[in-house]
Amino acid sequence: MNSKSQKETAASLLKVIPAKWAVAIIAAIIVYVPLQPRLNQWFGWNLPSVASLTGDEPAKATTKKNADAKPSSASKSNESKAPKDESDEDSDLESKTPEKKSPPQSVEDYLTEVGKNRFESPAGLIYKPGSEEGHRLKHIERHLSDMPDRPGSHGVFDGSMVEFLIAIDDTVTRAKQKLKGTSMKEDDGDIAYEAGFDKPIGFLGGETGKRKKNPKVRKMKVIVRDDAVITAFPL
Amino acid sequence: MTKKYFYIDDCPICSQGLARVRVHVRKQSLTGYILCDECEAAWNDPSLLGRIPRGKEGDASCPDGKTSVWSEHCHWASIEEICLLGWYKDIKAPKDTKLGKAL
């Protein structure tokens, strides 16, 4: 009933405004629909979907859907830096609509190999050999699971490796832009980027986390040197 | 098996790593230093004041400035080695170890 009256209001509004404005508004909506989940994911925004704006879908569901679509759309953006194909946009949208969760994408899809065992993220961060584990990717992968016997804190990211890499990129990008809720601290060439997220990204593990009953965490810290990631973890 | 962690303190740089004792063994001589197992910041001693500059490619390096901390010449210090270095009073140890109970 409410939805019907809304549609009637929209139709009457379209009759009143000039045709060129109506065309411009419709074009804007067409562009907004496929871009909205991607913008949310790339920049950590929380733009509402058209469905939620018209009242057809609750706002909460919009947020969840965006989070679920994270890996899929991010890797696609990496693959297609070339001109965007409209049919590709449509098929992307179609594939998201029926299924609740996109299949997890591989790290190889998200990162670009720029040398022997060297990988670059879309934000320009480099992952290369190093650390006790032999490679930085292996080193940060430790933060995908808890180490309850480890003294002190151990931040655990709640998501896949690709989602972790996306969150790392997002942290550094926002901190470099000096956006609200971010910080950037330099110490002897090592730069520590920190950024908050609007929802929990993981929990506090390790002995300290266990003692505090594993509270949820909303911040990410990334230590970078010469654009190469040394480590990253939620805190 | 629970891994035993002997460490000096939480890392003052990244706040989440453990500043642990690591040793460089070469020609029967033992050189100790402190290394954060998370962000790989390194210090000459448990005071955590003088940082050891990173080596090539940003990798952490031993006090000699040449050897990578992950080279075959380096390893996490055992409790015996920590005692040899005279740093046993500086470390924190898990409560379920003899040292942890003694400290």
Side-chain angles (χ1 to χ4, degrees), chain A residues 153-164:
Chain A
S153 304
H154 177 74
V156 182
F157 183 79
D158 187 14
S160 68
M161 185 66 176
V162 176
E163 288 170 317
F164 191 20

Side-chain angles (χ1 to χ4, degrees), chain B residues 4-66:
Chain B
K4 306 290 184 220
Y5 292 96
F6 302 110
Y7 64 103
I8 302 295
D9 210 340
D10 293 333
C11 173
I13 307 296
C14 71
S15 74
Q16 199 162 111
L18 301 174
R20 296 166 65 185
V21 180
R22 199 161 169 88
V23 289
H24 178 201
V25 186
R26 192 163 247 179
K27 293 176 185 171
Q28 294 187 326
S29 85
L30 190 76
T31 309
Y33 56 97
I34 312 300
L35 181 72
C36 170
D37 63 3
E38 185 66 62
C39 70
E40 294 168 23
W43 296 267
N44 286 301
D45 57 62
S47 69
L48 305 183
L49 291 175
R51 270 191 76 174
I52 303 170
R54 289 186 189 265
K56 277 183 185 176
E57 299 268 318
D59 285 334
S61 83
C62 291
D64 68 4
K66 296 171 189 170

Side-chain angles (χ1 to χ4, degrees), chain A residues 118 128 131-132 136 139 142-143 147 149-151 153-155 187-188 190 221 225 230-231 233-235, chain B residues 2-3 5 7 10 13-18 22 37-40 51 53-54 57-59 70 76:
Chain A
R118 286 166 171 262
K128 59 183 185 179
S131 81
E132 190 172 14
R136 296 291 166 192
H139 183 63
R142 300 184 315 151
H143 290 282
M147 297 169 78
D149 295 326
R150 182 183 159 83
S153 304
H154 177 74
D187 189 299
D188 207 17
D190 296 346
K221 192 168 198 171
R225 189 182 181 96
I230 304 289
T231 191
F233 48 83
L235 77 162
Chain B
T2 306
K3 204 173 173 181
Y5 292 96
Y7 64 103
D10 293 333
I13 307 296
C14 71
S15 74
Q16 199 162 111
L18 301 174
R22 199 161 169 88
D37 63 3
E38 185 66 62
C39 70
E40 294 168 23
R51 270 191 76 174
R54 289 186 189 265
E57 299 268 318
D59 285 334
W70 308 119
W76 295 116

Side-chain angles (χ1 to χ4, degrees), chain A residues 113-131:
Chain A
E113 191 161 8
V114 290
K116 194 184 176 187
N117 267 331
R118 286 166 171 262
F119 302 91
E120 187 175 357
S121 74
L125 296 175
I126 303 291
Y127 296 89
K128 59 183 185 179
S131 81

